[in-house]
C-alpha cells in the first residue's frame, strides 16, 4: 500500500515522466473504479447469502470505519465510513443483510445497541471475553504467593531455636488464615474458568450436543464461584458481572445448533430435537476420537461409536433432509461462531494503510473490499487456492483474471474504457 504521490513516482520510473499519470489522475481513477467496485459487489447478491457476520469498528485517524465479515468464507460483507459508531450507524450496516441470523461482537456499546435493534441473535466474542480471565488469575496467583512467603517467614521465626525473644505465634496464625483464604480464592477461580470453557464447548462431558439450558447453568455456577472470591483488586467482581450480563449472548451459538431446519417423514414419532441430538452425538464421539491422545481414551470412545452409528442410521428412517441436516450440523460444531477474531484480520489490513494515508474515502474502501473478496488465499490450510467469494458461492464475471480482471471487464462493458 502506497500513497498516490508515491505511486506516481513509481510509474515515472517504470514508464517515464511523459506517460506516467499524475497523482490527482490516480485519485480520480480511485474514485471512478471505487464506485464501480461498489456496483459489482451490490449486484453479486453476496449480501443475501450471508447468515453470520463478525462485526467491529476501526478508527482510521479518528474516522470510524464499520466492518462486517462472514467468518466462514472471510468475505468482507461491509466496509463503511461513518460519522460515528453508534447504534443508528450499525443498524444501517446490518440492514444490508436480509437473511442475517447470528452476529458476533466484542461487547462495544454502540455495536450492541445496533444489534439489539436488529432481528438477529448476538454472540459475545469469546476471544475478547477470554482476555478477562488471565488478568484475574495473575493477580490471585501473586497474592497467594505473597501470602505463602509471609507465612514461611513467620514460621521460620517461630520454629527457629536460635532466635531469642517473643515468638510471633499470633502473626503466624493470621498469616496461615490469609494463605488459606488466598488458596481458596485461587481454587475457586480455576474451577470457574474450567466451567466457563466447558460452557463454551458445543459438546458436554458425555459427548452429547450441549443444550443452552445446561450451558447457562455452568455459567451461573462459574459466576457464583467468582463472587466467593474475597481478594481485593482481583477483577473477579468485574468478571462475574460480565458473565451475568452477557450469559445469554455467550451461548447464542448453541441456539444455532438446535435451530437447524429438520423435515420429518410422515408418520414419524421422532421430534426435531431428537434428530439433532442423535446426529450431534455421532459428531461428538467422532470429534473426541480425533482429539484423543491416550490409548485408554480411544478404546472408551470406540466402545461408544457403534451406538452413535446406530442412532445416526436410525435418523435416516425418520428425517427427509437428513443429508442437509448432517452437513449443516457438522459445519456448525466444527466451526462454531463464537468469536469475532476474523474481523480483526481485516482491521490489521487497514492498520497498515493508516501509517501511509491520512484519510480514506468510501470508493477506496470499496476497492479494498473487492480486492480482498476476489483474491485467493495462499497460506490457509482450509482456504488455500480459493477466494472469499468463491467459498461463499458468488459467481463474478472475469474473476478468473483476478481483481483487476473483474474491474476491467466490467469497465469495458459499461464503456468506461476504449
Amino acid at each position: 500500500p502506497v500513497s498516490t504521490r508515491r505511486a506516481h513516482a513509481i510509474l515515472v520510473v517504470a514508464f517515464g515522466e511523459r506517460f506516467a499519470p499524475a497523482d490527482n489522475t490516480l485519485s480520480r481513477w480511485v474514485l471512478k473504479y471505487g464506485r464501480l467496485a461498489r456496483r459489482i459487489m451490490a449486484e453479486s447478491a453476496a449480501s443475501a447469502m450471508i447468515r453470520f457476520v463478525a462485526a467491529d469498528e476501526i478508527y482510521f485517524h479518528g474516522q470510524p470505519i464499520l466492518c462486517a465479515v462472514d467468518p466462514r468464507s472471510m468475505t468482507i460483507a461491509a466496509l463503511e465510513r461513518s460519522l460515528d459508531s453508534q447504534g443508528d450507524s450499525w443498524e444501517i450496516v446490518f440492514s444490508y443483510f436480509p437473511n442475517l441470523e447470528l452476529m458476533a461482537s466484542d461487547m462495544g456499546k454502540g455495536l450492541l445497541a445496533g444489534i439489539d435493534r436488529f432481528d438477529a441473535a448476538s454472540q459475545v466474542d469469546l476471544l475478547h471475553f477470554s482476555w478477562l480471565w488471565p488478568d484475574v488469575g495473575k493477580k490471585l496467583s501473586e497474592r497467594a504467593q505473597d501470602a505463602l512467603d509471609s507465612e514461611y517467614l513467620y514460621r521460620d521465626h517461630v520454629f527457629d531455636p536460635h532466635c531469642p525473644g517473643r515468638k510471633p505465634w499470633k502473626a503466624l496464625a493470621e498469616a496461615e488464615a490469609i494463605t488459606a483464604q488466598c488458596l481458596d480464592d485461587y481454587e475457586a477461580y480455576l474451577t470457574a474458568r474450567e466451567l466457563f470453557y466447558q460452557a463454551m464447548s458445543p459438546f458436554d462431558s458425555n459427548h452429547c450436543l450441549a443444550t443452552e439450558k445446561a450451558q447457562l447453568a455452568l455459567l451461573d455456577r462459574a459466576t457464583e464461584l467468582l463472587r466467593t472470591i474475597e481478594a481485593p483488586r482481583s477483577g473477579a467482581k468485574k468478571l462475574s458481572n460480565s458473565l451475568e450480563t452477557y450469559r445469554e449472548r455467550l451461548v447464542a451459538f448453541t441456539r444455532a445448533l438446535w435451530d437447524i431446519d429438520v423435515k420429518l417423514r410422515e408418520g414419524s414419532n421422532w421430534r426435531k430435537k431428537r434428530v439433532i441430538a442423535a446426529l450431534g452425538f455421532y459428531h461428538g464421539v467422532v470429534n473426541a476420537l480425533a482429539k484423543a491422545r491416550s490409548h485408554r481414551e480411544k478404546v472408551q470412545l470406540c466402545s461408544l461409536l457403534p451406538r452413535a452409528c446406530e442412532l445416526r442410521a436410525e435418523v435416516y428412517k425418520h428425517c427427509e433432509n437428513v443429508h442437509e441436516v448432517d452437513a449443516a450440523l457438522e459445519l456448525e460444531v466444527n466451526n462454531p461462531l463464537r468469536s469475532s477474531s476474523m474481523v480483526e484480520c481485516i482491521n490489521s489490513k487497514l492498520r497498515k494503510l493508516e501509517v501511509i494515508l491520512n484519510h480514506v474515502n468510501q470508493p477506496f474502501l470499496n476497492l479494498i473490499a473487492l480486492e480482498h473478496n476476489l483474491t485467493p488465499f495462499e497460506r490457509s490450510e482450509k482456504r488455500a487456492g480459493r477466494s472469499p467469494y468463491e467459498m461463499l458461492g458468488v459467481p463474478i464475471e472475469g474473476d478468473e483474471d483476478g481483481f483487476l480482471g473483474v474491474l476491467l471487464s466490467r469497465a469495458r462493458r459499461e464503456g468506461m474504457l476504449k
Side-chain angles (χ1 to χ4, degrees):
V2 296
S3 63
T4 53
R5 184 174 299 177
R6 186 70 59 84
H8 167 71
I10 294 171
L11 292 172
V12 167
V13 173
F15 302 109
E17 185 72 41
R18 180 181 174 186
F19 299 102
D23 55 346
N24 58 350
T25 303
L26 292 173
S27 297
R28 288 198 301 272
W29 288 354
V30 167
L31 293 174
K32 181 172 68 172
Y33 285 98
R35 296 187 184 104
L36 179 63
R38 181 80 169 200
R39 294 199 297 274
I40 292 173
M41 290 187 291
E43 295 170 9
S44 67
S47 298
M49 298 182 182
I50 291 175
R51 296 168 50 229
F52 312 117
V53 296
D56 196 9
E57 66 272 341
I58 181 174
Y59 289 90
F60 195 94
H61 295 295
Q63 174 71 51
I65 297 176
L66 310 185
C67 183
V69 178
D70 174 54
R72 302 279 166 74
S73 64
M74 281 292 289
T75 298
I76 295 182
L79 195 63
E80 304 289 327
R81 286 177 82 247
S82 176
L83 295 176
D84 55 53
S85 57
Q86 301 303 315
D88 294 336
S89 301
W90 276 112
E91 185 180 10
I92 295 172
V93 172
F94 293 143
S95 66
Y96 299 160
F97 315 108
N99 300 317
L100 195 57
E101 298 177 7
L102 183 61
M103 295 175 275
S105 65
D106 61 355
M107 303 177 286
K109 290 184 179 179
L111 184 50
L112 287 181
I115 291 172
D116 290 338
R117 300 177 190 181
F118 202 80
D119 187 20
S122 169
Q123 171 69 39
V124 170
D125 175 42
L126 182 60
L127 176 67
H128 284 80
F129 208 97
S130 298
W131 290 346
L132 301 175
W133 290 91
D135 185 51
V136 176
K138 181 180 178 182
K139 291 178 180 178
L140 290 174
S141 176
E142 291 175 350
R143 184 170 180 268
Q145 186 61 52
D146 292 342
L148 282 170
D149 293 342
S150 178
E151 180 186 340
Y152 290 150
L153 286 176
Y154 285 118
R155 190 177 294 277
D156 291 343
H157 192 187
V158 167
F159 294 102
D160 186 358
H162 303 289
C163 183
R166 296 178 61 185
K167 303 292 185 179
W169 290 101
K170 185 177 179 181
L172 176 60
E174 292 176 354
E176 289 176 343
I178 293 174
T179 301
Q181 181 61 52
C182 290
L183 293 176
D184 288 344
D185 287 347
Y186 191 61
E187 184 179 0
Y189 159 78
L190 292 176
T191 307
R193 187 181 65 177
E194 183 65 28
L195 290 171
F196 171 76
Y197 284 109
Q198 187 179 343
M200 293 299 101
S201 171
F203 304 101
D204 60 18
S205 56
N206 297 320
H207 313 294
C208 296
L209 201 63
T211 62
E212 184 181 357
K213 183 178 178 181
Q215 288 180 322
L216 289 175
L218 291 173
L219 292 177
D220 290 341
R221 285 172 56 194
T223 304
E224 292 173 3
L225 284 170
L226 289 173
R227 285 176 176 167
T228 63
I229 296 176
E230 298 181 2
R233 299 186 301 278
S234 67
K237 184 177 181 181
K238 178 183 177 181
L239 184 55
S240 65
N241 290 339
S242 297
L243 276 176
E244 184 177 19
T245 303
Y246 299 112
R247 61 191 293 274
E248 297 286 344
R249 298 181 192 268
L250 278 168
V251 296
F253 76 96
T254 305
R255 240 170 279 138
L257 297 178
W258 294 93
D259 284 343
I260 296 174
D261 186 27
V262 175
K263 297 178 182 177
L264 295 173
R265 297 188 187 278
E266 188 175 351
S268 172
N269 59 350
W270 280 42
R271 294 178 301 165
K272 171 184 173 181
K273 289 188 176 180
R274 188 179 177 187
V275 170
I276 295 175
L279 292 175
F281 180 63
Y282 170 80
H283 290 296
V285 173
V286 170
N287 285 2
L289 191 57
K291 297 176 182 178
R293 296 182 180 180
S294 66
H295 176 71
R296 181 179 179 182
E297 187 179 0
K298 290 180 180 179
V299 170
Q300 291 176 346
L301 290 168
C302 285
S303 65
L304 297 174
L305 201 54
R307 177 58 179 163
C309 292
E310 182 183 345
L311 284 172
R312 191 186 187 205
E314 190 71 19
V315 171
Y316 279 69
K317 302 177 184 178
H318 299 273
C319 182
E320 289 185 0
N321 62 336
V322 61
H323 296 289
E324 298 175 10
V325 176
D326 203 12
L329 193 60
E330 183 179 8
L331 179 64
E332 295 291 344
V333 297
N334 291 331
N335 302 280
L337 182 59
R338 297 171 298 185
S339 174
S340 63
S341 56
M342 294 300 181
V343 77
E344 303 294 345
C345 299
I346 306 303
N347 288 349
S348 65
K349 281 190 168 187
L350 298 179
R351 291 293 181 194
K352 297 175 184 177
L353 292 172
E354 194 174 17
V355 179
I356 299 161
L357 304 175
N358 292 326
H359 73 280
V360 288
N361 51 34
Q362 188 56 53
F364 189 84
L365 293 175
N366 297 339
L367 288 173
I368 291 176
L370 185 65
E371 185 270 339
H372 171 85
N373 291 339
L374 292 173
T375 302
F377 294 98
E378 296 180 359
R379 294 188 294 259
S380 173
E381 295 181 2
K382 296 181 180 179
R383 306 181 178 94
R386 294 186 294 170
S387 68
Y389 266 0
E390 186 179 353
M391 294 188 66
L392 190 63
V394 176
I396 298 289
E397 180 184 352
D399 62 350
E400 62 275 2
D401 296 323
F403 156 68
L404 287 177
V406 171
L407 271 180
L408 294 177
S409 65
R410 180 62 180 268
R412 290 190 185 97
R413 198 172 69 195
E414 293 190 4
M416 296 171 60
L417 290 176
K418 296 181 181 180

